[in-house]
Amino acid sequence: MYGHFGNQVFHWIHYGFAFFCLYIGIPRLVFDLPSDRKVERTFAFAIRAVMWMIVLAYILIITKLFEMLALLAILLVFSLRKSLFSPDNTRRGDSVFAIGKFFYNWADGQASLKTSGMRRLLAFRDKLINFKVSFSIKALEYGLLTVVLVISGYIRLYDVVRNPSPAMSDAYVTMAWMKYADERLLFVDGIYPQGYYYVLDYLHKFAAIDSLYVLRFTGPVTNILIVFCLYFIVSRLSANRLAGIAAAAMLGLFGDLLGGGWDRQAASLSQEFGFLIVLPTLFFFYRWMVEKKEADFRTGVVGAAAVGLVHAIGFGFLWLGGGALAVAELFLRPKPGMKRFLKWFFAGTISGVIAILPAVIGLVVGKHFHANSLNFTFEESLVVRPPIRIIDWIALFSAALLLVSSLRGSFEKRFADLFISVFGFGIFILYEFVGWITQKDMISARSPDLWAIMIPLLCGMAIARMLGWIGSFRYNQFCFAGIFSLVLIAGTIVHPPKPIFPDKLESDEGLNQYLRIDQSFTPKSWTIVYSFREGNNMVRGSGYYMYVGPKIGDFDAPTYFLGVYDPTKPGLTRYGEKKVDTRIGQDVFIFYEKHVYKNEALLQLKTEVGKAKEYKTRETDMVELKKWLELYERSNGKIEVYYDGPTLTVYHIHIIEKSKPVNE
C-alpha cells in the first residue's frame, strides 16, 4: 500500500505543496528583502520563515492556540502587514484600491477577467518563444548539477518511497514530539530544542497527510538540500560552478566514503536539519563581512538563532564557522573597528539568548532536561583516536593549499580561502583529537558528521583554485566540464551508487497495516493491539494503542491486553465485568506476529543490552496471544482476519456497542 505509485504521488503532491507554501511562497508575502540573486533570496526567505515559524509555534503552544485557523489568521495578518499597515500611504493606497478599481471597472464592463488573464498568458507565451536554449558551458554545468542531485535523491529516497518503516531508533521519538506539538504540549519528555519537530508539525498541518509520511519525506529532502548547499557555497565563494558540483558530488554520490553516519542521510533527524540552516547562514555572514550589506548580517543573525532552536551540535558547528570568519578577518583586516566587533558580539549574544530561552521557560514551568540527551552530552568512555585515512589527507592538503592561496589575490578571494582553510583545520582537530583527549562520547560520535561535510567544502574550494591556476583559454571550461564528466562516470562505475537501507526498529509489514487502518477507519474510532512498544507514538492522534503483554519493568503503555480481557466472553470484556468494554474504539485490530522483527544491528550495541530481553518478551507474548486467540474463537466463534502476511496476521474485532475512546 505505502509503496504504490499512486499513493506516493498523492502524498508527495501534498507534501510538496505544503513545503512550497511554508518556505517559498508565504515568506515572500510576509518578509521584505532587497533585490538579490534568486538562490540567495530564496535561502534568505527560507531562513526567516524557519525562525519565525519556530518562535510562533512556541508562543502558540504555550498559549494553547497552536491550531490551523490561528496559524492562517496570523499568516494573513503578516502577509497584509507590508501593504495595509505600512507607513507609506502611497503604497498602502495602491495596494488597497487596486483591487477595488478593478472590481468597479469589471462591474461597469470596462475590465474583463478573461481579457486580463489572456494578456498575461500571451506575455508568458512571448517569453517562451523568445527564449532560445543554446549549448553553453552554463547549460552543461547545470546539467551536471542536475545529474548529481538526481542520483543523490535516488540514493536517499529509494527506501523512503518503497518502505514505510522510519529509519533509525530516533524516528519514533521524533514522531512523538511532532505529535506533542500538535496537541499543544511543551517538553513532555524533558527540555530539548523543539524547532525541528515544530517544522515537521507545520508540514503535517499544511499537507494534511499522516505524520509518518512527513517524517519519512523530510529527512531525505533535508539531506538532498544539504548536497545543494555545498554546491551553492563553493560555487559562490570560488566563482566556479564546476568546483561546486564536485563538492556536491562528493557528499551526494560518495558520502559513504567520507565517514560519519551514512544511514543518517535517509533518516529524519534534527541535527541534519540544523546543518541545512548552518551552511547558508555562514555564507550570509561571509558576504556581510566582504560586501558590508546589512541585510546579509540580519539574515545571518536570524539563521544563527534558528539553528540554536533546532540543535545544539548544529549551533556549535555554526560558531566554529563564525570563529573561522573572525580569524580570517583578523589576519586580513587587523583593524575592523569597534562597530564590527560590537556587531559580532550582538550576533553571538542575541542568537545565544534566543537559543536558551525555551530551556529557561521550561525550567520555570517545572520541566527537567531530557535525560537521555543529558547523559549523552556528559557521558565518557574509552574513545580511540580515529585513524587518518587517505580522504583525510586529501582534505588536509586542500586546506593547506587554500592557506597558501590566501596569500595572493583580491581581498574577497583571500578571505574565502582563509575562512574555509581555518574552518577545515578547526573541524579536523575536533574530529581527530578533541573527542580522544576529552573521552566524551558525544564529540567522538558527532564530530565525524561535521568532518564529512567539511571534506567536500575543502576539496571543492581547492579544485576551484587549481583550475584557476591552470590558466584560462577559450575552451578551457568545456575541457574542464568534459574531464569532470568522465571522472564522474568513472567514479560511479568504480563505486556504483547504492540506495541507503538504514536500520529500523520495526518491520514494514506492520507499518503498512497501520497506514491501511488509519486511512480506512474514522480517526480515534479504532485501537491497535501490538507488541511493538513504540506503537503508541505511531498511532497517537489517529487511533489508540494497547500493548499486548502485561506490564513489565519500566515500560508503561496506556493500556494492556493480556491479563485484562477475558477470551471466554463476547466482544472485548474485562475480567470480572459482564459488559463489553466501552472505553476502547469500535474496531480493535490485534497484531499477531508469527515472527517478531529483530534489529540485529541494535543487538550488537552495548548501549542496547535491553533489546535482546525485549525481543524475548515479545516472543513470549506472542505465544500467550496465540493461546488467547484460540480460546476466544472456541468461546465466541471465528475472528475476522483483516490481514494475513508472511510474518504478521491482523485480527479484527468489531464491537457492536457504542464505544468511548480508550484514553478518555
Side-chain angles (χ1 to χ4, degrees):
M1 172 189 171
Y2 172 88
H4 290 174
F5 178 77
N7 183 63
Q8 284 292 313
V9 169
F10 174 84
H11 286 92
W12 274 105
I13 289 174
H14 279 245
Y15 180 86
F17 176 75
F19 192 93
F20 176 84
C21 287
L22 288 170
Y23 303 113
I24 298 176
I26 292 174
R28 293 176 181 274
L29 300 175
V30 173
F31 303 111
D32 250 336
L33 283 176
S35 60
D36 202 345
R37 297 171 72 174
K38 288 184 179 179
V39 178
E40 281 85 336
R41 247 175 99 79
T42 300
F43 273 123
F45 277 127
I47 286 171
R48 282 169 165 77
V50 169
M51 174 64 184
W52 182 71
M53 289 180 183
I54 291 174
V55 171
L56 181 61
Y58 270 113
I59 294 171
L60 293 180
I61 287 171
I62 291 172
T63 56
K64 303 298 182 182
L65 294 173
F66 195 45
E67 295 286 356
M68 192 64 181
L69 286 176
L71 291 174
L72 291 175
I74 293 169
L75 288 173
L76 178 63
V77 169
F78 275 86
S79 298
L80 296 174
R81 173 184 58 87
K82 290 190 293 184
S83 55
L84 296 182
F85 304 119
S86 171
D88 186 344
N89 289 326
T90 302
R91 181 180 178 184
R92 181 172 61 246
D94 290 345
S95 300
V96 173
F97 293 114
I99 298 174
K101 180 180 177 182
F102 180 84
F103 173 78
Y104 285 115
N105 286 339
W106 172 78
D108 292 338
Q110 298 177 15
S112 167
L113 289 173
K114 181 179 178 181
T115 303
S116 178
M118 286 299 298
R119 189 184 304 119
R120 294 177 181 273
L121 187 62
L122 290 172
F124 180 69
R125 186 200 63 179
D126 293 340
K127 287 183 180 180
L128 290 178
I129 293 173
N130 295 328
F131 180 72
K132 297 179 180 180
V133 180
S134 61
F135 183 76
S136 64
I137 182 58
K138 190 173 182 180
L140 178 58
E141 288 171 338
Y142 284 140
L144 287 171
L145 175 62
T146 302
V147 169
V148 168
L149 292 176
V150 168
I151 298 176
S152 300
Y154 162 75
I155 292 171
R156 290 157 178 79
L157 287 169
Y158 184 86
D159 178 65
V160 168
V161 299
R162 291 173 66 88
N163 304 309
S165 187
M168 306 185 69
S169 58
D170 290 349
Y172 295 94
V173 175
T174 301
M175 191 181 294
W177 289 2
M178 174 177 29
K179 293 181 178 182
Y180 291 152
D182 209 42
E183 296 170 11
R184 302 177 299 282
L185 301 174
L186 184 67
F187 300 136
V188 173
D189 295 327
I191 297 170
Y192 188 88
Q194 297 291 303
Y196 179 57
Y197 312 105
Y198 295 163
V199 166
L200 290 175
D201 196 46
Y202 275 109
L203 289 169
H204 168 59
K205 286 179 181 295
F206 277 76
I209 56 178
D210 192 278
S211 56
L212 180 63
Y213 290 96
V214 174
L215 181 76
R216 289 292 274 149
F217 294 170
T218 304
V221 167
T222 295
N223 285 291
I224 294 168
L225 289 174
I226 289 175
V227 171
F228 178 78
C229 280
L230 287 173
Y231 159 78
F232 167 71
I233 290 181
V234 172
S235 64
R236 293 297 193 265
L237 266 61
S238 66
N240 189 309
R241 283 188 291 269
L242 275 178
I245 296 168
M250 286 187 71
L251 180 64
L253 278 59
F254 311 109
D256 55 327
L257 304 176
L258 304 180
W262 185 234
D263 281 5
R264 300 175 70 91
Q265 291 288 308
S268 187
L269 299 163
S270 58
Q271 174 182 285
E272 277 61 34
F273 188 75
F275 292 169
L276 175 60
I277 307 173
V278 166
L279 295 174
T281 297
L282 286 174
F283 168 77
F284 283 111
F285 273 133
Y286 158 81
R287 202 169 68 163
W288 164 65
M289 299 179 81
V290 171
E291 300 179 11
K292 301 180 181 179
K293 293 181 179 178
E294 290 302 310
D296 290 336
F297 175 74
R298 290 193 292 270
T299 302
V301 173
V302 171
V307 174
L309 292 172
V310 168
H311 202 275
I313 291 174
F315 196 59
F317 185 36
L318 172 70
W319 287 112
L320 283 171
L325 283 169
V327 169
E329 182 171 47
L330 185 64
F331 274 90
L332 298 179
R333 195 158 49 194
K335 297 180 180 180
M338 182 58 67
K339 184 178 180 181
R340 187 171 291 267
F341 170 78
L342 290 175
K343 284 198 169 185
W344 264 121
F345 179 77
F346 170 79
T349 302
I350 194 67
S351 60
V353 168
I354 292 173
I356 66 171
L357 189 58
V360 173
I361 294 172
L363 291 172
V364 169
V365 298
K367 300 292 184 178
H368 55 80
F369 286 99
H370 186 244
N372 290 344
S373 301
L374 201 62
N375 293 337
F376 182 59
T377 302
F378 297 104
E379 197 169 39
E380 296 183 6
S381 64
L382 182 61
V383 176
V384 179
R385 186 168 68 87
I388 301 180
R389 306 156 300 165
I390 294 176
I391 190 66
D392 299 330
W393 285 116
I394 294 173
L396 290 173
F397 172 78
S398 300
L401 186 147
L402 292 172
L403 196 61
V404 173
S405 175
S406 68
L407 299 176
R408 295 183 61 186
S410 65
F411 173 79
E412 184 176 352
K413 170 193 164 296
R414 293 171 64 204
F415 191 88
D417 290 349
L418 188 56
F419 158 51
I420 296 296
S421 178
V422 172
F423 194 16
F425 279 125
I427 296 296
F428 176 76
I429 291 170
L430 177 71
Y431 158 72
E432 186 68 22
F433 299 107
V434 176
W436 173 53
I437 292 171
T438 62
Q439 296 290 295
K440 294 290 185 183
D441 280 348
M442 183 188 73
I443 298 175
S444 66
R446 293 291 175 257
S447 57
D449 298 331
L450 308 184
W451 182 234
I453 291 179
M454 202 68 236
I455 291 173
L457 277 176
L458 290 167
C459 294
M461 289 294 292
I463 289 170
R465 297 314 174 210
M466 287 189 287
L467 292 179
W469 292 339
I470 291 173
S472 60
F473 53 94
R474 185 174 181 182
Y475 299 108
N476 67 336
Q477 287 294 91
F478 281 103
C479 291
F480 294 152
I483 293 170
F484 177 80
S485 300
L486 293 175
V487 170
L488 188 63
I489 293 170
T492 54
I493 292 173
V494 174
H495 188 77
K498 296 179 181 178
I500 300 172
F501 292 100
D503 287 333
K504 301 179 180 184
L505 282 185
E506 188 56 16
S507 69
D508 295 312
E509 200 173 9
L511 271 292
N512 261 319
Q513 294 314 304
Y514 152 69
L515 289 172
R516 181 186 169 199
I517 293 166
D518 183 39
Q519 294 181 19
S520 303
F521 291 84
T522 307
K524 298 188 178 182
S525 69
W526 50 269
T527 298
I528 282 178
V529 179
Y530 203 179
S531 72
F532 179 47
R533 295 187 175 187
E534 282 74 13
N536 187 40
N537 295 338
M538 180 177 70
V539 307
R540 189 183 186 99
S542 301
Y544 299 103
Y545 167 78
M546 275 194 237
Y547 182 66
V548 170
K551 181 174 172 60
I552 295 175
D554 60 354
F555 174 64
D556 187 21
T559 51
Y560 301 87
F561 188 76
L562 293 176
V564 175
Y565 291 94
D566 189 344
T568 64
K569 295 181 180 178
L572 283 177
T573 306
R574 291 174 176 254
Y575 282 105
E577 296 183 4
K578 296 181 179 180
K579 294 184 178 180
V580 173
D581 191 353
T582 58
R583 290 170 293 182
I584 58 178
Q586 294 181 13
D587 293 281
V588 178
F589 299 88
I590 302 170
F591 283 47
Y592 169 69
E593 298 160 87
K594 303 171 187 176
H595 302 286
V596 173
Y597 178 84
K598 297 178 182 178
N599 186 312
E600 298 297 336
L602 280 180
L603 289 174
Q604 305 302 320
L605 297 177
K606 293 180 180 179
T607 55
E608 298 289 344
V609 291
K611 272 296 172 189
K613 184 178 179 182
E614 178 187 329
Y615 290 143
K616 184 66 176 176
T617 300
R618 289 177 67 177
E619 289 173 339
T620 303
D621 289 342
M622 288 304 104
V623 173
E624 296 301 317
L625 179 61
K626 183 67 173 175
K627 294 177 182 177
W628 190 97
L629 292 167
E630 291 172 350
L631 182 55
Y632 187 93
E633 288 191 329
R634 286 199 300 269
S635 304
N636 301 286
K638 194 75 173 174
I639 307 175
E640 177 193 346
V641 176
Y642 184 75
Y643 168 81
D644 189 20
T647 65
L648 176 71
T649 300
V650 179
Y651 294 94
H652 175 212
I653 297 176
H654 179 68
I655 300 174
I656 304 299
E657 294 188 29
K658 186 178 179 181
S659 304
K660 297 178 181 178
V662 71
N663 289 359
E664 289 186 1

